[in-house]
Amino acid sequence: MLKKSLSFAVTFFLANTIWQIIRSQPISWFENTMVSLLAFLIYLFFEWTGIPFDWNKKSKRIEQKE
C-alpha cells in the first residue's frame, strides 16, 4: 500500500517536472514537491479506505472467548 502510493507520487513528480522542461517553463520545485506530497497522501488515503474492516468478525471472536 505504501509502496504503491510512493511510486505514484514519484511518477507524478517526474511527469510534472518533465512537462515543465518540455514546455520551457522554469521548474517550480516547491510546487512540484507539494503537489506530489498531496497526491501521495490522497492516494494513500484511498488505498487505506479500500481495505475492509470487519467489525462483525472481531465482535464474534470476543463473544466466543467469553
Side-chain angles (χ1 to χ4, degrees):
M1 178 171 65
L2 187 63
K3 191 174 182 179
K4 277 182 161 179
S5 301
L6 188 59
S7 65
F8 178 74
V10 169
T11 304
F12 193 80
F13 177 80
L14 290 175
N16 202 7
T17 304
I18 291 170
W19 178 253
Q20 288 177 352
I21 291 171
I22 291 172
R23 294 193 64 204
S24 298
Q25 293 178 344
I27 300 172
S28 52
W29 295 105
F30 183 74
E31 183 179 322
N32 289 351
T33 306
M34 289 300 122
V35 169
S36 297
L37 179 64
L38 186 63
F40 168 74
L41 292 174
I42 290 172
Y43 192 81
L44 184 66
F45 177 73
F46 281 122
E47 286 288 319
W48 179 71
T49 58
I51 299 173
F53 189 77
D54 253 341
W55 289 97
N56 291 332
K57 286 183 181 179
K58 286 196 173 204
S59 64
K60 286 180 183 177
R61 284 187 213 155
I62 293 171
E63 290 174 5
Q64 288 175 356
K65 287 182 181 179
E66 293 176 357

